[in-house]
Amino acid sequence: MVKLLIAIPTLDYMHRKFAESLTGLCKILAWNKIDFDVSFEGCTLVYMSRDNLAKRAIEEEYDEVLWLDADMVFEPDIYWTLKETGKDFITAIYRGRHGENRPCVFEKLEPPIRWENFDYDPPVHEIKGCGFGCVLTKTYILKDVMDQYATCFRPTPLLGEDLAFCKRASDCGYSIWADVNAPAGHIGQYEIQAIPDKNGNFLKLI
């Protein structure tokens, strides 16, 4: 039986919608008798939280890690949707919370270039990098990267923690995949303006 760790780096804040999504996921996992644990790791530096979670997965011999950020929403069956692709490193598709809300998947890392034109046939595509808001990885990938670099997620001068891990994993010979059949929502924040803009909108993305 697969041993699964749900890894959530967070500080003091967890959005209600994320809690609802996580509860739905845990209910289905329990119903299907999946051996799983949920681990919250709080640290000022998110890469340290992720590294600590990776170390726990390795030391306690989990087979898989489902990485979730505390500002995501997803379907209760997201674990199976990602797992059924058969890929060892697979991300859901979601967009950033700020600016132009561009996808958090990348077709190139040096420099980072986002994958903008999703193709639904086939639904699973090889990519070069992704955010870790909703990602399923095999633990042996984490162990290999940790053994090679003494860290998984420490950022580099050019790459943040998520893409730094993707680069290390790729350099270790692992492929990274994205599943367009596994969409996830990214919870943003809005400023409610007193006077609407020229399009009549009162909400402004912060």
Side-chain angles (χ1 to χ4, degrees), residues 8 15 24 32 35 51 70 79 99 104 107-108 115 119 125 130-131 139 155 159 163 181 183 189 193 197-199:
I8 306 168
H15 199 282
N32 286 276
D35 182 8
D51 265 1
Y79 168 69
C104 295
E107 60 183 352
K108 186 178 178 181
W115 180 42
D119 185 355
H125 299 265
C130 62
T139 304
L159 299 173
L163 295 186
N181 284 338
Q189 294 179 313
Q193 302 181 100
D197 63 20
K198 62 182 180 181
N199 297 317

Side-chain angles (χ1 to χ4, degrees), residues 33-46:
K33 296 181 171 56
I34 301 297
D35 182 8
F36 77 97
D37 290 301
V38 180
S39 183
F40 297 92
E41 181 69 26
C43 185
T44 303
L45 299 175
V46 67

Side-chain angles (χ1 to χ4, degrees), residues 140-160:
Y140 74 81
I141 298 177
L142 303 172
K143 185 178 187 307
D144 198 1
V145 172
M146 189 70 76
D147 288 345
Q148 291 280 341
Y149 297 94
T151 180
C152 283
F153 292 95
R154 181 185 294 273
T156 71
L158 299 178
L159 299 173

Side-chain angles (χ1 to χ4, degrees), residues 2-9 37 39 50 53-58 61-68 79 82-83 88-90 132 134-143 153:
V2 170
K3 185 179 179 183
L4 171 68
L5 179 66
I6 300 175
I8 306 168
D37 290 301
S39 183
R50 294 200 191 282
L53 290 163
K55 289 174 184 176
R56 178 182 176 185
I58 295 165
E61 298 184 337
Y62 288 90
D63 300 296
E64 299 173 335
V65 181
L66 179 61
W67 300 90
L68 298 173
Y79 168 69
L82 294 172
K83 186 176 178 63
D88 292 348
F89 187 164
I90 181 83
F132 261 67
C134 187
V135 175
L136 182 66
T137 62
K138 296 290 190 183
T139 304
Y140 74 81
I141 298 177
L142 303 172
K143 185 178 187 307
F153 292 95

Side-chain angles (χ1 to χ4, degrees), residues 107-123:
E107 60 183 352
K108 186 178 178 181
L109 290 187
E110 297 176 317
I113 297 176
R114 294 176 189 261
W115 180 42
E116 302 273 9
N117 300 312
F118 300 153
D119 185 355
Y120 290 85
D121 185 20

